[in-house]
């Protein structure tokens, strides 16, 4: 069993949940299990911030990640955090490496999704997810800070390093790995969610395709 | 250099206060007088302590009483600018215009003609050009640090000034006309977009290209006002650069009649520009880093801005052009294309589709 598979099995054993092989074959939109996004979702869901007007999302990667993958994830986060479905968009890209999309949700919320894969090879992703509402704003970056923060910074003779450990049960795993393991674990607890995940997957693929169509035709696309 | 004798008109623009200190402290200026739109504006002016400066309730009365005035800052509602520009040009007085001369392109052309016929300096107040972070960005681009620029994303987001400067909440005063945003929408042109030309100007300045097309979308309003306060714009420049511009009033504010202690977390204003090139990415905060405190007046977390004051460089250029006969880099002709593209954004909101710039 793989390193991550062992971790999943550890959670299954601890909480007495049966493994379901579909967890490894279903598109799970695993970022929804990232605590940052779960908490942003809750801030809206619980009316801590009320009447959302605007989402301002940005996600830059190095060249290994295709724009379509980043768009898929960020569109899903728009819908997850914005509590609506994308109904129209206008996209502009340059050289298939950078660009942005203005989206509108069925609840009237609009959002900007900035994407790019022009960071130097091996550089950690740079992300920002901000919600602007009639009552309140929320952001996964603090005020005046342009790049993601770490929990620990070290400055040693070996150079500088940062550490962000966010899950005690899954200590040692990276943030994306933790999301994946947690998503698989949640699926095993609730295998009936398979149809919802697959439907969302089909929907998101259509939204991503619409973004490239919008860029190509220089037109807003209604979904 | 012989100091330029200068006055301020109207005192109702949100940037008016910025000039009080620079007009007092710049050794190349002699602050002669001000005119106020009303008794209330006059009373407010004197609360700033400049009691030695005569304040008139009429522009003409002030200019008649002080024929020595060589230059003015037109600090009024957008709808008043044409009349004041004509009045000053006819008297041979140099003009520092606010950031929106007018949105009416016929009026705009008339301004160009009267200014050029009179031979006066007319500089448009786009203070970001005198921001040191912008200077560094320009230098990095000149050094080709990012390679070929392919993407440009910028925010110019602020609180809304409409409660302290009510004319900005009145479509006729801000946009010049009462034009609905689009069919079925109760709002009108004249809101956040009209307050934030800087990033539309700066993308032209930094990339050396002009707009090809724009698409704009308005969101639900944060406030109960007649104009748009949330708006996003994307599109492409003629050289293929894709861009996203956010000129929203998406920061909250205390709804107070004077712009004092109106800051609300996280901060009242932000201009962040992110540029992508084929060799890398640049992230910038043009007004940061700052200081933060939770002291007076409300004991809650707020920003104390520490940035350099752009108005110093702006006024230095204005004075230099007057005394040395130069043309400001941000003049009416340069700025015209920026105003045109802002109008195109409103047209895109109306039609729901991208609009090409002629």
């Amino acid at each position: 069993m793989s390193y991550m598979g062992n971790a999943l099995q550890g959670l299954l054993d601890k909480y007495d949940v049966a493994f379901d092989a579909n967890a490894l074959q279903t598109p799970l939109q695993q970022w929804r299990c990232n605590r940052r996004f779960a908490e942003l979702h809750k801030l809206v869901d619980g009316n801590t911030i009320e009447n959302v007007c605007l989402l301002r999302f940005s996600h830059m990667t190095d060249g290994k990640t295709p724009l379509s993958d980043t768009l898929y994830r960020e569109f899903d986060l728009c819908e997850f955090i914005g509590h609506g479905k994308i109904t129209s968009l206008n996209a502009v890209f340059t050289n298939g490496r950078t660009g942005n999309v203005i989206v509108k949700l069925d609840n009237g919320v609009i959002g900007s999704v900035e994407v790019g894969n022009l960071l130097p090879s091996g550089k950690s992703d740079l992300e920002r997810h901000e919600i602007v509402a009639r009552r309140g704003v929320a952001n996964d970056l603090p005020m005046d800070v342009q790049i993601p923060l770490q929990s620990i910074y070290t400055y040693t003779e070996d150079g500088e390093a940062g550490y962000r450990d966010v899950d005690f049960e899954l200590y040692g795993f990276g943030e994306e790995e933790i999301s994946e393991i947690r998503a698989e674990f949640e699926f095993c607890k609730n295998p009936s969610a398979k149809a919802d995940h697959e439907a969302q997957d089909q929907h998101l693929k259509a939204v991503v395709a619409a973004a490239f169509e919008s860029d190509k035709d220089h037109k807003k696309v209604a979904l | 250099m012989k100091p330029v004798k200068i006055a301020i008109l109207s005192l109702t623009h949100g940037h008016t206060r910025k000039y009080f200190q620079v007009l007092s402290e710049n050794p190349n200026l002699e602050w002669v007088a001000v005119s106020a739109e009303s008794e209330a504006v006059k009373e407010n002016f004197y609360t700033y302590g400049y009691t030695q400066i005569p304040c008139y309730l009429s522009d003409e009365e002030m200019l008649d009483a002080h024929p020595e005035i060589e230059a003015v800052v037109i600090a009024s509602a957008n709808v008043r600018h044409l009349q004041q520009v004509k009045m000053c040009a006819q008297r041979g007085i140099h003009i520092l215009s606010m950031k929106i001369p007018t949105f009416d392109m016929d009026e705009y052309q008339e301004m160009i003609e009267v200014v050029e016929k009179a031979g006066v300096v007319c500089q448009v107040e786009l203070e970001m050009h005198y921001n040191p972070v912008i200077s560094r960005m320009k230098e990095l681009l000149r050094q080709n640090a990012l390679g070929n620029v392919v993407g440009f994303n910028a925010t110019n987001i602020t609180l809304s000034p409409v409660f302290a400067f009510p004319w900005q909440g009145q479509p006729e005063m801000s946009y010049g006309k009462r034009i609905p945003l689009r069919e079925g929408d109760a709002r009108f042109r004249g809101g956040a977009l009209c307050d934030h030309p800087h990033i539309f100007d700066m993308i032209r300045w930094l990339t050396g290209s002009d707009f090809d097309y724009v698409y704009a979308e308005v969101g639900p309003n944060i406030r109960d006002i007649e104009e748009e306060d949330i708006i996003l714009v994307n599109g492409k420049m003629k050289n293929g650069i894709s861009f996203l511009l956010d000129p929203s009033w998406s920061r909250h504010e205390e709804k107070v009649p004077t712009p004092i202690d109106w800051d609300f977390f996280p901060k009242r204003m932000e201009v962040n520009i992110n540029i992508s090139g084929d060799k890398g990415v640049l992230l910038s905060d043009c007004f940061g880093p700052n200081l933060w405190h939770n002291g007076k007046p409300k004991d809650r977390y707020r920003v104390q801005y520490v940035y350099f004051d752009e108005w110093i460089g702006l006024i230095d250029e204005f004075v230099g052009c007057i005394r040395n006969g130069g043309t400001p880099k941000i003049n009416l002709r340069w700025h015209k294309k920026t105003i045109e593209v802002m109008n195109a954004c409103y047209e895109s909101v109306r039609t729901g589709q991208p609009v090409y710039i002629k």
Side-chain angles (χ1 to χ4, degrees):
Chain A
M1 193 175 281
S2 70
Y3 178 50
M4 286 173 63
N6 281 333
L8 173 62
Q9 192 58 53
L11 289 176
L12 295 171
D13 292 344
K14 178 178 178 182
Y15 293 99
D16 197 19
V17 175
F19 175 68
D20 186 317
N22 283 321
L24 306 180
Q25 290 145 15
T26 304
L28 294 177
Q29 297 91 38
Q30 63 269 21
W31 33 85
R32 294 186 179 208
C33 290
N34 182 314
R35 291 308 314 165
R36 276 190 293 141
F37 304 132
E39 293 299 328
L40 283 172
H41 174 85
K42 273 169 58 182
L43 287 174
V44 177
D45 204 38
N47 290 324
T48 303
I49 61 173
E50 292 179 322
N51 298 316
V52 174
C53 300
L54 173 67
L55 306 172
R56 298 179 57 237
F57 291 1
S58 171
H59 190 164
M60 284 186 270
T61 69
D62 70 9
K64 289 197 289 292
T65 307
L67 279 195
S68 55
D69 287 7
T70 309
L71 287 168
Y72 179 103
R73 177 188 194 258
E74 297 303 322
F75 288 155
D76 186 54
L77 287 171
C78 282
E79 297 192 343
F80 180 55
I81 294 168
H83 289 66
K85 286 284 185 190
I86 294 171
T87 55
S88 68
L89 58 81
N90 190 73
V92 290
F93 304 116
T94 302
N95 300 341
R97 302 294 305 275
T98 190
N100 64 80
V101 189
I102 295 175
V103 300
K104 187 167 190 179
L105 308 187
D106 58 4
N107 55 11
V109 173
I110 66 169
S112 58
V113 178
E114 304 166 45
V115 293
N117 60 10
L118 289 160
L119 292 177
S121 179
K123 178 83 182 74
S124 300
D125 292 7
L126 300 176
E127 296 181 65
R128 180 198 65 236
H129 300 87
E130 181 178 27
I131 312 168
V132 178
R134 279 178 78 95
R135 181 184 187 186
V137 296
N139 201 326
D140 60 359
L141 284 187
M143 174 176 60
D144 273 2
V145 174
Q146 300 180 62
I147 56 174
L149 299 180
Q150 307 293 327
S151 311
I152 294 175
Y153 300 89
T154 59
Y155 302 88
T156 69
E157 290 179 353
D158 296 328
E160 300 176 11
Y163 304 88
R164 185 164 51 191
D165 294 294
V166 295
D167 190 321
F168 186 76
E169 283 184 313
L170 297 175
Y171 176 75
F173 286 97
E175 200 171 349
E176 296 303 318
E177 292 173 322
I178 290 169
S179 296
E180 191 174 328
I181 297 165
R182 287 284 175 198
E184 290 164 358
F185 178 58
E186 289 302 314
F187 184 91
C188 291
K189 287 199 292 185
N190 180 22
S192 66
K194 184 171 189 291
D196 289 343
H197 284 299
E198 288 175 341
Q200 181 67 357
D201 176 61
Q202 290 305 309
H203 166 67
L204 290 170
K205 284 175 176 165
V207 181
V208 171
F212 288 109
E213 179 192 336
S214 170
D215 173 58
K216 180 164 104 12
D217 297 341
H218 298 186
K219 284 210 156 69
K220 177 169 95 170
V221 173
L223 291 145
Chain B
M1 186 185 288
K2 182 183 165 196
V4 171
K5 297 183 189 318
I6 194 165
I8 310 178
L9 304 186
S10 292
L11 302 175
T12 53
H13 196 279
H15 286 179
T16 303
R17 294 165 301 142
K18 305 285 185 184
Y19 289 97
F20 294 167
Q21 186 178 3
V22 76
L23 263 60
S24 298
E25 294 180 356
N26 191 311
N28 292 320
L29 292 176
E30 182 182 332
W31 188 4
V32 175
V34 297
S35 64
E37 291 268 333
S38 66
E39 277 290 351
V41 172
K42 181 177 179 178
E43 275 179 33
N44 181 57
F45 170 68
Y46 280 126
T47 65
Y48 287 90
Y50 300 102
T51 50
Q52 79 283 10
I53 304 295
C55 182
Y56 298 82
L57 289 171
S58 150
D59 298 339
E60 289 83 357
E61 186 187 350
M62 178 187 75
L63 295 175
D64 289 343
H66 296 278
E68 73 276 23
I69 290 173
E70 299 173 85
V72 295
V73 178
I74 296 182
S76 57
N78 295 341
V79 74
R80 292 217 55 210
H81 291 168
L82 175 62
Q83 179 263 324
Q84 289 177 318
V85 165
K86 286 163 76 174
M87 175 187 67
C88 292
Q90 283 160 5
R91 291 173 182 250
I93 294 171
H94 303 290
I95 297 160
L96 184 60
S97 163
M98 291 295 101
K99 54 194 173 184
I100 302 296
T102 174
F103 280 106
D104 183 308
M105 298 319 295
D106 292 333
E107 281 191 3
Y108 200 105
Q109 187 57 35
E110 192 178 350
M111 280 187 189
I112 291 174
E113 288 167 9
V114 297
V115 162
E116 292 184 351
K117 185 178 173 193
V120 296
V121 171
C122 181
Q123 180 173 335
V124 182
E125 181 215 48
L126 288 174
E127 69 274 14
M128 293 302 297
H129 288 269
Y130 314 92
N131 176 295
V133 179
I134 293 290
S135 298
R136 177 67 63 185
M137 216 178 302
K138 183 92 175 163
E139 185 179 333
L140 289 166
L141 292 175
R142 194 168 50 237
Q143 293 166 348
N144 204 32
L146 304 177
N148 292 322
V149 172
V150 291
F152 187 105
N153 297 336
T155 59
N156 181 182
I157 55 179
T158 67
L159 49 67
S160 173
V162 302
F163 302 99
F165 302 97
W167 68 264
Q168 289 194 261
Q170 298 167 18
E172 299 89 342
M173 302 288 279
S174 177
Y175 188 73
K177 303 183 190 86
R178 199 170 182 82
I179 299 182
L181 283 181
R182 58 191 172 194
E183 196 177 332
D185 196 310
R187 296 168 296 176
F188 299 87
R189 298 180 181 185
L193 176 62
C194 290
D195 198 25
H196 296 147
H198 303 286
I199 45 180
F200 293 88
D201 165 74
M202 204 44 71
I203 187 172
R204 296 175 56 214
W205 183 256
L206 289 171
T207 67
S209 186
D210 277 309
F211 288 90
D212 185 18
Y213 68 88
V214 292
Y215 169 80
E217 182 81 76
V218 292
N221 269 19
I222 289 180
R223 309 162 182 82
D224 295 323
I225 59 175
E226 283 196 290
E227 304 156 335
E228 84 285 354
D229 65 10
I230 295 290
I231 181 166
L232 298 170
V233 178
N234 69 359
K236 285 208 171 178
M237 304 300 283
K238 290 194 188 297
N239 62 3
I241 294 173
S242 53
F243 63 83
L244 172 72
L245 306 176
D246 180 352
S248 299
W249 282 335
S250 57
R251 306 296 85 164
H252 294 81
E253 68 281 328
E254 297 285 359
K255 294 171 176 50
V256 291
T258 52
I260 298 170
D261 298 332
W262 62 344
D263 295 44
F264 213 94
F265 185 86
K267 56 184 179 178
R268 69 173 180 267
M269 177 269 293
E270 165 190 306
V271 177
N272 285 8
I273 298 177
N274 299 344
I275 304 175
S276 296
D278 56 16
K279 287 186 187 170
V281 170
L282 175 154
L283 310 178
S284 69
D285 177 354
C286 296
F287 296 95
N290 296 302
L291 299 176
W292 307 273
H293 70 83
N294 65 348
K296 281 196 336 188
K298 302 202 169 161
D299 303 325
R300 68 184 182 204
Y301 201 54
R302 60 189 294 184
V303 169
Q304 180 75 31
Y305 286 93
V306 295
Y307 57 83
F308 184 78
D309 191 337
E310 290 81 9
W311 275 266
I312 294 174
L314 182 148
I315 282 288
D316 283 346
E317 183 181 7
F318 185 50
V319 170
C321 288
I322 292 170
R323 286 290 177 253
N324 303 321
T327 301
K329 57 177 174 272
I330 309 306
N331 54 66
L332 285 173
R333 284 191 182 274
W334 161 267
H335 193 44
K336 188 177 178 187
K337 286 185 176 177
T338 299
I339 299 296
E340 284 172 344
V341 79
M342 294 172 77
N343 274 316
C345 292
Y346 278 128
E347 188 59 12
S348 175
V349 169
R350 187 184 73 78
T351 62
Q353 287 294 344
V355 171
Y356 282 83
I357 313 300
K358 289 170 190 163

